């Protein structure tokens, strides 16, 4: 059962399931059981960017000019994102790597988590540029009750899976005596079974999908709403790069969830997915509610132009529905049109460019020629 | 789109006519066809990895020039990276 850094068993590499098969030995990518993970890796590598490439000198001035309630919105979102990427930069590795059994899935997880560390570095870059003392922002992340409540929600499934995964790796299925969490508790006897571990894996993947597919988007919306007013544009440029990466990550977890639910990877997982469906929907719903509460907290001292807690709440419901459908579940909120249609134009990633000479911040383009071509202008052309 | 085009939008349906040569790299994608007809489709990556433009396909056949990265259910298409092989009916939401 113990994890093997280089598994010397003889087994058929491409007949393993994604998880709980043999520990991966040779990192080989000449063939894949699931080529999509190789494509995800290639795509993620092609997206590589460095935070320092984005100039934030005008953001410093912009930030100083924001009213206090908007500074609160901006910094709170940064804190929340820093928390999310702190978790995402390590936990996929901690939780999933010991369980994974296909080389392309293993390397996708590592590539994915690495890109989250770039996001974390970019928050430091932003905070360093807009504040004289970055430490106060970081220190508040573990002290602010609103952020701490969110930390609990995003890490509980991970921690549960990691603990049970470690017990399973150390001694396989069986009964374990766990030390008490605090003085008032008795030590607890815990039963570890492979099928329970599979359940925990499935729920963790769902909670990660929710983290990347829903939780990030409230912050994204605020960042883009600032930039719609031509303020904090360097920040928006970084967030655009982050959003492009996140779109890829959520595709990754959607593939894992759908492959598991289909049973083609592991027939038992199809049953587990069916059995856990009510819990899965609850995770989505709860996250949506938590994000709506977060929006209330952001706007507690006042809204910002173009955005308030109500409309942000509607957007959360809209994307939650969309994410549910992507993993084969029914929407849980009333169907509605996208309440923030301008979000899509910020999330469009076919024009994401990093080199400043390729795409300057919009405020710099004074007097430039509008080179946008309406596709209708080409409607008359026949090939 | 030319006068001879049969592409039409009926409330919640969109009929994309088959591309003349669906294997040509210049064949218009389903998304381009929809945009040319003035149908608003939300999209983000236009490269098949984000899944934002995912639509339900009611009939017809499409082909992908390279396999899409985003998950696509059997009854769905990703208009940004597929080409209509036959006439295709898409449900619009």
């Amino acid at each position: 059962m113990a994890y093997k850094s280089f598994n010397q068993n003889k087994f058929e590499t491409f007949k393993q399931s994604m998880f709980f098969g043999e520990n991966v030995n040779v990192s080989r990518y000449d063939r894949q059981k699931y080529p999509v993970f190789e494509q995800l890796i290639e795509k993620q590598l092609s997206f590589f960017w460095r935070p320092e490439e984005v100039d934030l000198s005008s953001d410093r001035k912009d930030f100083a000019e924001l009213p206090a309630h908007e500074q609160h919105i901006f910094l709170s979102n940064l804190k929340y994102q820093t928390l999310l990427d702190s978790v995402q930069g390590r936990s996929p590795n901690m939780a999933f790597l010991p369980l994974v059994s296909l080389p392309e899935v293993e390397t996708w997880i590592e590539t994915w988590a690495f890109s989250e560390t770039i996001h974390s570095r970019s928050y430091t870059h932003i905070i360093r540029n807009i504040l004289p003392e970055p430490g106060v922002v970081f220190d508040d992340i573990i002290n602010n009750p609103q952020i701490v409540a969110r930390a609990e929600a995003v890490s509980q499934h991970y921690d549960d899976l990691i603990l049970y995964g470690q017990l399973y790796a150390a001694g396989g299925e069986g009964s374990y005596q766990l030390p008490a969490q605090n003085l008032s508790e008795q030590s607890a006897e815990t039963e570890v079974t492979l099928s329970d571990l599979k359940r925990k894996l499935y729920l963790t993947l769902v909670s990660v999908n929710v983290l990347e597919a829903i939780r990030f988007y409230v912050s994204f919306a605020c960042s883009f709403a600032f930039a719609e007013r031509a303020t904090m544009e360097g920040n928006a440029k970084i967030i655009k790069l982050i959003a492009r990466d996140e779109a890829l990550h959520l595709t990754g977890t959607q593939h894992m969830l759908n492959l598991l639910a289909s049973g083609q990877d592991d027939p038992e997982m199809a049953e587990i997915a069916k059995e856990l469906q009510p819990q899965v929907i609850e995770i989505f719903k709860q996250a949506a509610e938590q994000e709506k509460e977060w929006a209330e907290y952001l706007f507690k001292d006042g809204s910002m132009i173009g955005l308030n807690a109500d409309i942000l709440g509607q957007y959360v419901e809209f994307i939650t529905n969309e994410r549910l459908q992507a993993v084969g579940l029914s929407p849980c909120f009333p169907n509605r049109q996208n309440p923030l249609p301008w979000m899509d134009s910020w999330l469009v990633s076919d024009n994401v460019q990093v080199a400043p000479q390729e795409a300057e911040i919009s405020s710099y383009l004074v007097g430039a020629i509008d080179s946008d071509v309406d596709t209708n202008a080409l409607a008359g052309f026949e090939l | 789109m030319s006068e001879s085009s049969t592409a039409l939008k009926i409330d919640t349906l969109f009929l994309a006519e088959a591309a003349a040569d669906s294997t040509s790299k210049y064949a218009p994608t389903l998304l381009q066809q929809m945009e040319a007809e003035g149908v608003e489709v939300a999209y983000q990556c236009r490269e098949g990895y984000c899944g934002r433009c995912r639509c339900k396909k009611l009939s017809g056949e499409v082909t992908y020039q390279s396999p899409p990265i985003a998950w696509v259910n059997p009854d769905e298409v990703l208009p940004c990276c597929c080409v209509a092989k036959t006439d295709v009916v898409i449900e619009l939401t």
Side-chain angles (χ1 to χ4, degrees), chain A residues 318 321-322 325 331 335-338 344, chain B residues 9-14 34 39-43 51-58 75-77 79 89-93:
Chain A
F318 168 77
N321 279 351
E322 197 169 279
Q325 284 170 301
N335 258 326
R336 63 168 91 242
Q337 295 285 310
N338 185 354
D344 275 328
Chain B
K9 186 194 167 198
I10 319 161
D11 281 330
T12 56
L13 298 182
F14 178 79
M34 292 164 103
V39 179
E40 272 193 38
V41 194
Y43 65 85
R52 179 70 178 97
C53 64
R54 194 182 277 121
C55 288
K56 202 155 251 171
K57 182 189 74 177
L58 298 181
D75 61 339
E76 292 170 341
V77 287
V89 179
I90 301 291
E91 190 181 289
L92 301 172
T93 49

Side-chain angles (χ1 to χ4, degrees), chain B residues 25-72:
Chain B
K25 70 172 184 173
Y26 299 110
T29 63
L30 209 52
L31 182 60
Q32 288 167 337
Q33 280 193 303
M34 292 164 103
E35 287 172 332
E37 289 295 312
V39 179
E40 272 193 38
V41 194
Y43 65 85
Q44 281 170 19
C45 72
R46 296 185 85 98
E47 288 180 58
Y49 68 80
C50 78
R52 179 70 178 97
C53 64
R54 194 182 277 121
C55 288
K56 202 155 251 171
K57 182 189 74 177
L58 298 181
S59 68
E61 256 186 86
V62 299
T63 172
Y64 291 89
Q65 280 163 347
S66 60
I69 301 183
W71 179 272
V72 194

Side-chain angles (χ1 to χ4, degrees), chain A residues 231-300:
Chain A
T231 184
M232 308 306 292
E233 288 181 296
N235 171 71
K237 213 165 169 181
I238 287 183
I239 299 299
K240 215 169 137 92
L241 290 162
I242 293 176
R244 181 178 65 170
D245 290 339
E246 291 307 331
L248 208 55
H249 303 168
L250 82 90
T251 289
T253 40
Q254 282 169 353
H255 269 282
M256 290 182 197
L257 288 170
N258 286 330
L259 279 170
L260 293 175
S262 75
Q264 70 176 95
D265 187 61
D266 170 359
E268 192 187 356
M269 272 295 189
E271 286 166 41
I272 287 174
K274 216 179 203 172
E275 169 202 319
L276 292 179
Q277 209 185 68
Q279 256 170 285
V280 168
I281 294 169
E282 204 43 47
I283 292 177
F284 274 90
K285 266 193 194 161
Q286 256 180 19
E289 293 310 323
Q290 286 164 350
E291 291 313 299
K292 285 194 261 180
E293 278 167 31
W294 176 250
E296 299 280 348
Y297 169 72
L298 288 178
F299 299 125
K300 69 184 171 63

Side-chain angles (χ1 to χ4, degrees), chain A residues 70-140:
Chain A
E70 291 193 341
Q71 288 190 346
H72 160 78
I73 295 170
F74 188 87
L75 287 182
S76 301
N77 277 323
L78 260 183
K79 289 175 199 166
Y80 189 17
Q81 284 183 265
T82 306
L83 162 75
L84 294 181
D85 276 314
S86 300
V87 171
Q88 281 304 96
R90 68 176 71 98
S91 302
N93 291 344
M94 277 299 291
F96 304 137
L97 289 185
L99 309 176
V100 82
S101 36
L102 284 170
E104 70 272 20
V105 180
E106 180 184 55
T107 305
W108 162 243
I109 292 166
E110 292 173 303
T111 309
W112 162 28
F114 170 65
S115 85
E116 310 282 16
T117 67
I118 297 177
H119 303 175
S120 294
R121 299 183 65 79
S122 75
Y123 305 137
T124 298
H125 178 58
I126 295 167
I127 296 168
R128 233 185 223 153
N129 271 276
I130 60 168
L131 289 178
E133 181 37 78
V136 288
V137 176
F138 295 118
D139 292 343
D140 192 48

Side-chain angles (χ1 to χ4, degrees), chain A residues 149-166:
Chain A
R150 262 130 204 99
E152 175 64 26
V154 298
S155 59
Q156 60 177 8
H157 287 285
Y158 265 135
D159 292 349
D160 198 33
L161 175 66
I162 291 168
L163 173 64
Y164 280 75
Q166 285 172 342

